[in-house]
Structures are given as structure tokens and as C-alpha cells.
Amino acid sequence: MEHKITTQQVKFKVFRFNADEDYLPYYEDYDMEVTSEEVVLDILNRIKWDHDGSFSYRRSCRHGICGACAIKVNGRSTLACKESMNDMVELFGSELTIEPLSKKRAVKDMIIDKGDFWEKHEAVHPYLVSDVEENPETEHLVTPEEADALDDADLCIQCGACHYACPVVEVNEEFFGPAAFAKAYRFEADVRDEAHIQRLEELQAPNQGVWDCAKCFECAEVCPKDVNPIEKITKLHQMLFQEGVAESNVATRHAVGFKDSIIKNGVLDEGGLVLYSEGLSIVKHVPVALKMFKKGKIVPPWGITKSDNLDEIKKLVESSSTAKF
């Protein structure tokens, strides 16, 4: 079957800003004919080559390896050299807005200051910590099963797409972010690493650690290499419990309370879960709790009906639990 190249008219609204000259950012419109063979990076190149030579962006490999060309299209983080224009038009329509990964960090057009990204990357000790002999007589062998435990975390290209798509990073400057956690997991899962406990303890720091993840799955949606950072964050949660270093806080008590509620009733006791997680701080939730009670969302302890399949549910919980709380 003959391959046919199609074309379509697309209107681009492009973010422009030069920190050395502009007080505020602005947008410029470009109407372009786009072919079915083009990727987003081709559009960036055409804007620079055919319309405005001052337009700036990062690019290098064009093969989805270096991570330099990550930007946002209609608010969605994407790797420009990998994303097909056909897919973008099919997803968003014929009017597309092109912006940098983080507008508040913009230096010039699509180029941003990724200083916070690299600082958080460095903070999780993204390297193997091991007392290696200077002149070893044998290799440090790793079995295929041990290598599989990395779960593709080593595929991360540090493009920043997940980091700047994360809503917690946007509102909490201390939060490490999904990319840093994925990198930390890569070494936590490495059997050769000797900083296992130390790194875990640092990863659960208040306001910046794994327990502040909102679990929105945005990082998994935008990752161009399918690293699935939220999965790595969940595994770090489990490691904290497995190693017995998980500190008692609202998040850890929520995990414990959730499991205990299911084991006890086969269903979730939402009121009891909040009480167990928050303790005396539950007072601040009273107005919302009253509204939930009126709507039947919260059932009083004496009104909870246990599941008819409680024994089976207990077995399922026991067989699926990887960590002892």
C-alpha cells in the first residue's frame, strides 16, 4: 500500500519572552500548513528558520534520547522530537498553544532555567554508593532478576516533562518531584548500592518527600520513555515500610488505617480512616464531615456493614501485601 503524505492547516499560538528585554511574556500567532510526517520539533524549526530567527528553544539528538526539547503543547508536557503533529491535532484540534515547560522559569521563549530540577536531582544522591575495590579480581555480577528490579527506571533521560507537569512541584518549591524520585528508586533497587537506608530516610522528609505526592498520575501520562514515576514513588513507599524506617505521619497512618479498615470490615470506613490518620487534627475537618454525613458518605461505626466475603478479602490483602505495616 502506497504511503500518502497528507497536509492540514494549523494555527499556532506561541509563547514569546526574553528575560533581558521583556517585562511580560506575550504570544505570537503562526498559521502553517503541517504534513503528516512532521513532529512538533519540525514546527519549532520552521518558526525559527522561516518566520523569526530570534525564536529560541533547546534541541540536540532528535531521537528521544537527550531530553533537551521538552515543551508543553496545550498545557501537556511533551518531547518535541517524539510527538507527531497528527497526534497533537487529533488530540487538541487545529489550534495549538506552544509554551515552555514552566512559564515562570522562562529565560527566552521555550528555554527555561532548570536549576531547581537539577538541584532536586542531585539531592537524592543519583549515583551508586558502594565501597568498590580499586583493583577487583572478579566482577560484581548482577543476575537478570536483580536487573529487572530496576523496572526501567534507568531509562529516564532527565527531560523534565514529568517534573514540570507535577501540580505539587508547581505549588511546593521544596518537593523533590517525580523525576528525582524515579532516579532515587533506580539506585534504591540496585543490589550493589550501600546507601539504601540513608537515601530512604531522606526521601521521606516533610514537605519534600514521597509522602507529599498527590498521586494524580500526571507524571506517568507525560513521560516520553514510559518510566512511570508514580509507580516508582509507590515502590519507595513500600520500601520505607519494608525497611522499618517509615515515620509516623498523616500519610503513613493513612496507609496503615486503610489496610486495617479493609481487613476489619471488607469495606472502607472513611470516617474512621480520617480519625486514625489525623488524630486530634480531625477537628478541622468537622464542617466537611457533617456535610458528608448528611449525604450518607460517612457511616457511623455502629452502622458499618461488613462484607459477606470478608474471609476472602483478608486472604487477598495478606497475599498482596509486600510490606508489614
Side-chain angles (χ1 to χ4, degrees), residues 115-133:
D116 69 303
F117 174 85
W118 292 114
E119 286 173 7
K120 292 168 182 177
H121 178 267
E122 181 65 22
V124 301
H125 307 297
Y127 42 80
L128 191 69
V129 179
S130 181
D131 186 14
V132 180
E133 293 183 27

Side-chain angles (χ1 to χ4, degrees), residues 11-22:
K11 181 177 182 178
F12 296 95
K13 183 179 178 181
V14 182
F15 177 95
R16 302 302 304 272
F17 179 70
N18 185 340
D20 293 332
E21 300 177 1
D22 301 323

Side-chain angles (χ1 to χ4, degrees), residues 121-191:
H121 178 267
E122 181 65 22
V124 301
H125 307 297
Y127 42 80
L128 191 69
V129 179
S130 181
D131 186 14
V132 180
E133 293 183 27
E134 187 174 346
N135 299 298
E137 295 182 1
T138 60
E139 296 180 75
H140 189 149
L141 298 178
V142 175
T143 67
E145 292 75 21
E146 291 170 337
D148 288 343
L150 300 184
D151 199 16
D152 293 338
D154 52 330
L155 298 182
C156 176
I157 57 176
Q158 286 87 50
C159 65
C162 68
H163 183 80
Y164 295 110
C166 175
V168 183
V169 169
E170 187 67 21
V171 299
N172 179 4
E173 293 184 357
E174 295 182 42
F175 187 60
F176 284 137
F181 291 134
K183 182 60 67 174
Y185 173 80
R186 180 259 174 271
F187 292 101
E188 283 296 301
D190 195 317
V191 294

Side-chain angles (χ1 to χ4, degrees), residues 261 264-265 267-273 275 282 293 297-306:
S261 178
K264 181 179 178 181
N265 304 305
V267 295
L268 183 61
D269 175 7
E270 297 202 41
L273 178 60
L275 176 59
I282 195 175
F293 183 76
K297 183 66 173 176
I298 294 179
V299 180
W302 58 87
I304 295 177
T305 303
K306 293 188 177 184

Side-chain angles (χ1 to χ4, degrees), residues 5-51:
I5 300 175
T6 59
T7 62
Q8 53 189 321
Q9 200 70 23
V10 179
K11 181 177 182 178
F12 296 95
K13 183 179 178 181
V14 182
F15 177 95
R16 302 302 304 272
F17 179 70
N18 185 340
D20 293 332
E21 300 177 1
D22 301 323
Y23 180 67
L24 291 172
Y26 59 96
Y27 288 82
E28 286 188 343
D29 294 333
Y30 301 95
D31 291 307
M32 301 170 65
E33 195 172 73
V34 176
T35 74
S36 55
E37 291 194 326
E38 289 183 297
V39 294
V40 176
L41 181 59
D42 292 316
I43 303 305
L44 300 183
N45 289 336
R46 288 174 58 189
I47 292 174
K48 184 174 183 66
W49 298 340
D50 301 337
H51 297 274

Side-chain angles (χ1 to χ4, degrees), residues 55-68:
F55 180 59
S56 301
Y57 52 98
R58 287 189 175 109
R59 63 184 175 89
S60 184
C61 73
R62 197 185 167 85
H63 294 290
I65 297 171
C66 72

